[in-house]
Amino acid sequence: MKKLLFLSFLIITGFKPDQDKIQVFLIGDSTLANKAPGDAPETGWGMVFQEFFTDKIKVENHAQNGRSTKSFINEGRWAKVTKNLKSGDWVLIQFGHNDSKDKDTSRYAAANTDYKKNLIRFINETRAKGGNPVLITPVMRRRFDEKGTFFDTHGNYPAAVKAVAKEQKVPMIDLHALSQEVIVQHGLEGSKALFMHVEAGHYPKFPKGLVDDTHFTVYGAKIMAGLVAKSVHELDLDLKKHLKHFGDTDKFVYDLPVVQQPSFRKDTFNVISYGAKNDGLVLNSAAINKAIEACAEKGGGTVLIPEGFWLSGPITLKSNINLHLAKGALLQFSDNYKDYPLVKTNWEGLDAIRCQSPVSATDAVNIAITGGGIIDGAGQAWRSVKKEKLTDSQWQKLVASGGVLDQAQRIWYPSEGSKLGNTTPGAGNIAAGYTMETVTKFQEYLRPNMIRFSNCKKILLEGVTFQNSPAWNLHPMLCDHITLKNLTVRNPWYAQNGDGVDLESCRFALIDNCTFDVGDDGICIKSGRDEEGRKRGVPTENVIVQNSTVFHGHGGFVIGSEMSGGVKNLFINNCNFLGTDVGLRFKTARGRGGVVENIFISNINMTNIPGEAILFDMYYMAKDPVPKAGEKNELPVMKAEPVNAGTPQFQNFNIRNIVCKRAETAIMVRGLPEMSIKNITIENAVLQSNKGFVCIEGENINLKNVSFFTKDKTVMQIQNSTNVTMDKISYADDRDLLLKVIGDRSKGIRLLNTDDKKAKKNIEFSGNASSKALTRN
């Protein structure tokens, strides 16, 4: 009824919901114009420009294919814009590609005469209506000479735009220069992804493919639109206040990495046609791999696994293959370790020999696993299990199923070989001297990661359920442009090394709307381990994680501990962690080296966290983050060591809008005496926990508008840390102590705008800490 009344009001009053919005009119040519659905993947940058603004802005794209300043006016298109233009609106003007066509009298406008006159007309008539004109230089075409050197084709037109902008005192965005920088940065081959370099058979409009170095793909359009949006901010236009932020971080949408998406030929190769049988008895790896080979030989397409039960050994994906699991399809991997050959690969950041992964790809481009089916890795055949992680009845049932126990009767192994490998230091590591021949005695121990991609580009995993992995579930390493979307990833909670996803030394990734319920870290970022990782020297960078949930795991969102190649430029927003041992978990140790920096996190909800809601820890010791019954997580002895290549660094974290109900510790920062954790900001948080804020060896740590509801009578503890600011701190009533400052190296502590009357004692100094270390108001 309320909706009907509201609609009646709109009809009667003539009110339109968009009429109070600021309009941004785009006028120009095909490089920013709207395209029909059948034109895919061609995309004008104006089509995606709205994504960079809040809903206070309405982008009206009037750009049209093939138009110049002259034809845009003569065809009445400009008149349509001015008719709808109102005071306060904006007009962004980008022409030049078609004005230069001197053999077409309907479009030609000489750069220094008619072209300038038309630009001035756009400016004057926009201002006459109270609007705000912005000039944009022509966007670059992709042009490289035979030596691979970029060259320009626009003649005098960019200079003419600049001259008019200066003369008329109009803001100008130099997209000509900015787009050249992007094209050159991508390089001769990489820049093809920006433009319409379309493979044959991928899109209905281009059955024979297309090479077009003028018009953009979706990826190129988003890059160009982002350059324009960023320029709006840098020019300090009033329009900038409506630019959209990523979540509640200080970063804008234009700051985000853009991830390329794969595309595939429309041909489908059904595995049944290659001998696959869905009886749960026949091992289908040969048939599935045969279908993949046939598909690859034809230029790629979809390899279809239909509804049914499909038993298989290892599968190897190739370039341009989409492995599609229909809804109702179960791809069940074999529980016989002999089906998995030994291969040289990587394990926990080190070069190693392991069994071949159930699904793998190396040096592939344009690959995907999609659909509504399930992939099961038969992890129960590979994993050891600790007694304390099961009930008595579960333990008895497991022991009765076979396998062997350790001497203390506390750990179950599926076989003697598994036990031998688990009790052999460095088993399988190549640096430790192991070879293909010397690891066969404990092959059962060398459990693989379930999905393993190495040196691949343009990866899509969408819609599939991945579960019961032998080790990690999803492991892209040294891969670029990875999309994980609408996935369900599951493992038993006791599955050691049963991580959800581990991005290792990867660039440009998106994890969106995924659900994880696993036995180790949920969403984990890595980049190699110790000296081997530093020698590789490839960071994980430019990653977006959003709209995802972790139900169980050692950590919800995790960086480390293998981060020796560095981690930077991560963007995390709108995630939920329910029952993870730690919520936001950043871990490393001496010997790792590497720099983790520029991490932006907002809008995180957590509940029932047995450990820390937010943890920065440089003393990771490869132990479960929550001690078992009767155990304690004793703090290590804090003795300084010399700084060297193995000294890790955490710096530049911005965390905002956090809610946690029930945790052991709200915030823990634990750096090294020789390398403090630096430049951490946590703002707008409500944290209910047993312990509050503990900061050891931190520097430039800032808490603002943080509420602690603790059981511990001491709310905050600072030890040997410098420049720690606590501004607008709220806490539960009846605390014995608000703040404890420890150590003679604690300096520059600031307690600001905090009502400290609730605590029986406000500040306590110990361990030679000086009262001069604290400033308060």
Side-chain angles (χ1 to χ4, degrees):
M1 179 60 72
K2 289 182 179 179
K3 288 183 178 179
L4 288 173
L5 290 173
F6 180 68
L7 289 172
S8 299
F9 168 78
L10 295 180
I11 293 170
I12 293 169
T13 61
F15 175 79
K16 297 180 181 179
D18 288 340
Q19 70 181 16
D20 62 339
K21 293 186 177 182
I22 298 171
Q23 298 177 105
V24 176
F25 293 91
L26 306 180
I27 65 171
D29 54 39
S30 57
T31 59
L32 65 156
N34 291 336
K35 314 296 177 184
D39 294 332
E42 185 180 346
T43 308
W45 68 254
M47 295 172 67
V48 297
F49 197 53
Q50 181 73 65
E51 297 174 12
F52 296 87
F53 291 91
T54 69
D55 58 8
K56 295 290 185 183
I57 296 297
K58 182 183 179 184
V59 174
E60 291 275 356
N61 191 2
H62 288 259
Q64 193 69 23
N65 290 356
R67 270 48 183 193
S68 66
T69 56
K70 181 178 181 180
S71 62
F72 196 83
I73 292 170
N74 291 344
E75 292 174 2
R77 299 180 185 279
W78 174 238
K80 185 177 179 181
V81 172
T82 56
K83 180 180 178 181
N84 296 314
L85 186 64
K86 64 180 188 297
S87 180
D89 287 343
W90 295 76
V91 180
L92 275 57
I93 305 159
Q94 182 210 284
F95 289 95
H97 275 207
N98 299 297
D99 290 79
S100 62
K101 296 183 177 180
D102 53 6
K103 294 182 180 180
D104 186 343
T105 58
S106 67
R107 292 190 287 182
Y108 178 62
N112 292 314
T113 54
D114 290 344
Y115 181 65
K116 282 186 174 181
K117 290 177 182 178
N118 293 335
L119 293 179
I120 292 170
R121 176 176 174 178
F122 294 144
I123 292 166
N124 289 338
E125 293 184 8
T126 297
R127 285 172 167 168
K129 295 291 294 282
N132 305 288
V134 178
L135 291 178
I136 304 176
T137 53
V139 67
M140 280 289 187
R141 299 180 178 95
R142 178 184 172 276
R143 293 288 190 271
F144 290 90
D145 64 21
E146 64 279 359
K147 295 181 179 180
T149 302
F150 180 87
F151 65 91
D152 176 28
T153 63
H154 287 105
N156 295 324
Y157 287 88
V161 176
K162 295 175 184 179
V164 171
K166 183 176 181 180
E167 174 190 322
Q168 299 294 317
K169 295 182 173 54
V170 174
M172 190 223 30
I173 296 171
D174 193 357
L175 192 56
H176 185 253
L178 293 171
S179 58
Q180 176 178 337
E181 183 178 346
V182 166
I183 295 167
V184 171
Q185 185 181 48
H186 277 69
L188 179 63
E189 287 299 315
S191 60
K192 291 178 181 178
L194 298 163
F195 293 87
M196 289 284 289
H197 283 245
V198 179
E199 295 288 338
H202 284 225
Y203 296 94
K205 187 175 179 179
F206 310 106
K208 296 183 179 180
L210 179 72
V211 174
D212 176 351
D213 287 319
T214 297
H215 299 101
F216 301 118
T217 59
V218 176
Y219 174 70
K222 287 187 175 182
I223 296 286
M224 299 306 159
L227 293 174
V228 176
K230 184 177 181 180
S231 297
V232 166
H233 189 274
E234 292 177 343
L235 289 172
D236 200 28
L237 304 182
D238 191 57
L239 187 60
K240 78 173 188 179
K241 65 186 179 185
H242 300 294
L243 287 166
K244 186 186 294 184
H245 286 265
F246 174 72
D248 287 298
T249 69
D250 290 331
K251 290 295 181 177
F252 294 95
V253 171
Y254 66 69
D255 290 312
L256 299 181
V258 181
V259 180
Q260 296 176 30
Q261 301 296 308
S263 65
F264 303 94
R265 291 175 61 93
K266 302 308 175 185
D267 298 340
T268 298
F269 296 73
N270 192 318
V271 296
I272 293 175
S273 300
Y274 297 87
K277 296 180 184 278
N278 63 351
D279 57 8
L281 300 174
V282 173
L283 196 68
N284 289 296
S285 38
I288 296 173
N289 282 313
K290 189 175 179 181
I292 290 171
E293 290 279 359
C295 184
E297 288 176 3
K298 295 291 186 179
T302 296
V303 172
L304 174 64
I305 297 182
E307 178 182 352
F309 189 114
W310 308 91
L311 181 65
S312 182
I315 293 170
T316 302
L317 290 185
K318 295 184 176 296
S319 293
N320 302 311
I321 301 295
N322 175 15
L323 182 66
H324 185 83
L325 281 75
K327 186 176 182 181
L330 169 59
L331 180 57
Q332 174 64 65
F333 282 96
S334 167
D335 59 5
N336 183 355
Y337 72 89
K338 292 181 180 180
D339 291 329
Y340 299 86
L342 292 168
V343 295
K344 290 185 177 181
T345 180
N346 191 277
W347 171 248
E348 293 190 324
L350 300 176
D351 291 336
I353 298 169
R354 309 292 290 186
C355 290
Q356 183 176 340
S357 291
V359 182
S360 63
T362 301
D363 300 325
V365 179
N366 218 50
I367 57 175
I369 305 175
T370 64
I374 299 170
I375 294 180
D376 187 295
Q380 75 284 348
W382 299 86
R383 293 188 297 261
S384 60
V385 180
K386 296 177 181 178
K387 182 177 180 179
E388 64 264 23
K389 294 194 173 185
L390 302 179
T391 65
D392 287 343
S393 62
Q394 288 172 333
W395 176 253
Q396 291 169 13
K397 184 177 180 180
L398 180 64
V399 172
S401 71
V404 294
L405 298 176
D406 70 336
Q407 187 174 0
Q409 307 286 290
R410 306 294 299 180
I411 302 176
W412 175 89
Y413 301 99
S415 67
E416 286 287 355
S418 174
K419 177 182 176 181
L420 178 61
N422 273 283
T423 54
T424 301
N429 285 347
I430 292 173
Y434 285 98
T435 65
M436 291 288 192
E437 292 73 27
T438 58
V439 299
T440 55
K441 58 188 175 183
F442 47 69
Q443 183 173 350
E444 304 100 306
Y445 161 73
L446 302 173
R447 52 195 173 117
N449 297 331
M450 188 161 70
I451 310 297
R452 158 84 177 174
F453 297 142
S454 179
N455 292 295
C456 296
K457 298 183 189 305
K458 290 202 288 187
I459 299 167
L460 172 65
L461 304 181
E462 183 173 18
V464 177
T465 295
F466 298 94
Q467 68 172 38
N468 198 19
S469 59
W472 297 346
N473 268 284
L474 312 176
H475 181 211
M477 189 181 87
L478 292 166
C479 294
D480 291 352
H481 295 284
I482 307 143
T483 299
L484 277 57
K485 195 170 184 179
N486 303 327
L487 300 180
T488 299
V489 182
R490 305 191 306 184
N491 255 334
W493 76 270
Y494 54 82
Q496 186 175 340
N497 303 118
D499 297 25
V501 57
D502 295 87
L503 295 179
E504 182 174 355
S505 295
C506 292
R507 303 183 306 165
F508 299 100
L510 170 66
I511 300 174
D512 188 16
N513 197 36
C514 293
T515 299
F516 301 87
D517 191 349
V518 295
D520 210 307
D521 291 326
I523 304 169
C524 195
I525 308 298
K526 299 178 182 290
S527 63
R529 181 174 179 175
D530 299 342
E531 186 178 357
E532 285 189 31
R534 297 195 299 275
K535 186 177 179 180
R536 181 201 298 165
V538 179
T540 292
E541 59 183 324
N542 301 322
V543 177
I544 303 169
V545 178
Q546 61 186 14
N547 310 320
S548 294
T549 297
V550 183
F551 283 106
H552 193 278
H554 287 338
F557 177 78
V558 183
I559 300 175
S561 70
E562 301 95 340
M563 36 60 70
S564 303
V567 174
K568 59 184 177 181
N569 302 335
L570 306 188
F571 306 86
I572 301 91
N573 180 58
N574 193 31
C575 292
N576 300 309
F577 308 139
L578 295 84
T580 59
D581 291 347
V582 178
L584 296 167
R585 188 185 190 196
F586 313 117
K587 54 181 178 173
T588 187
R590 285 178 173 135
R592 293 285 191 264
V595 180
V596 176
E597 60 185 346
N598 302 335
I599 314 298
F600 303 91
I601 302 172
S602 71
N603 299 317
I604 306 297
N605 303 311
M606 313 181 212
T607 188
N608 298 325
I609 306 296
E612 295 84 0
I614 303 173
L615 173 64
F616 296 85
D617 189 11
M618 288 185 160
Y619 282 87
Y620 176 67
M621 294 176 287
K623 295 172 63 176
D624 287 351
V626 179
K628 304 296 182 292
E631 294 183 353
K632 291 183 179 180
N633 270 354
E634 298 289 349
L635 293 180
V637 177
M638 302 276 186
K639 291 184 178 180
E641 295 187 4
V643 174
N644 55 38
T647 305
Q649 297 180 58
F650 283 155
Q651 60 190 28
N652 304 338
F653 284 68
N654 190 297
I655 301 173
R656 187 175 291 173
N657 290 2
I658 309 296
V659 176
C660 178
K661 184 174 179 63
R662 287 191 294 274
E664 175 59 27
T665 303
I667 302 169
M668 165 74 84
V669 176
R670 188 164 66 183
L672 300 171
E674 68 272 18
M675 182 60 67
S676 57
I677 292 171
K678 298 181 177 69
N679 305 334
I680 309 296
T681 296
I682 301 173
E683 186 174 355
N684 301 337
V686 179
L687 307 168
Q688 184 187 90
S689 57
N690 292 333
K691 298 177 183 177
F693 173 47
V694 180
C695 181
I696 305 168
E697 305 292 353
E699 182 180 345
N700 295 331
I701 311 298
N702 300 285
L703 307 186
K704 185 175 182 180
N705 194 27
V706 177
S707 298
F708 295 103
F709 295 92
T710 64
K711 290 184 178 179
D712 198 315
K713 294 295 185 178
T714 299
V715 180
M716 298 179 289
Q717 177 179 306
I718 310 296
Q719 179 176 333
N720 288 328
S721 298
T722 60
N723 296 329
V724 180
T725 300
M726 297 152 286
D727 188 3
K728 297 180 181 178
I729 302 298
S730 301
Y731 57 96
D733 291 337
D734 193 28
R735 300 299 90 185
D736 287 346
L737 183 63
L738 172 58
L739 173 63
K740 186 174 184 178
V741 181
I742 305 170
D744 58 2
R745 289 187 288 112
S746 289
K747 299 177 181 178
I749 313 300
R750 290 175 286 275
L751 184 62
L752 309 175
N753 304 308
T754 296
D755 179 8
D756 53 9
K757 295 178 181 177
K758 294 188 244 181
K760 296 175 182 177
K761 187 175 181 182
N762 303 140
I763 313 294
E764 179 182 296
F765 299 91
S766 64
N768 297 322
S770 170
S771 60
K772 294 181 181 179
L774 178 72
T775 301
R776 59 195 297 196
N777 68 359

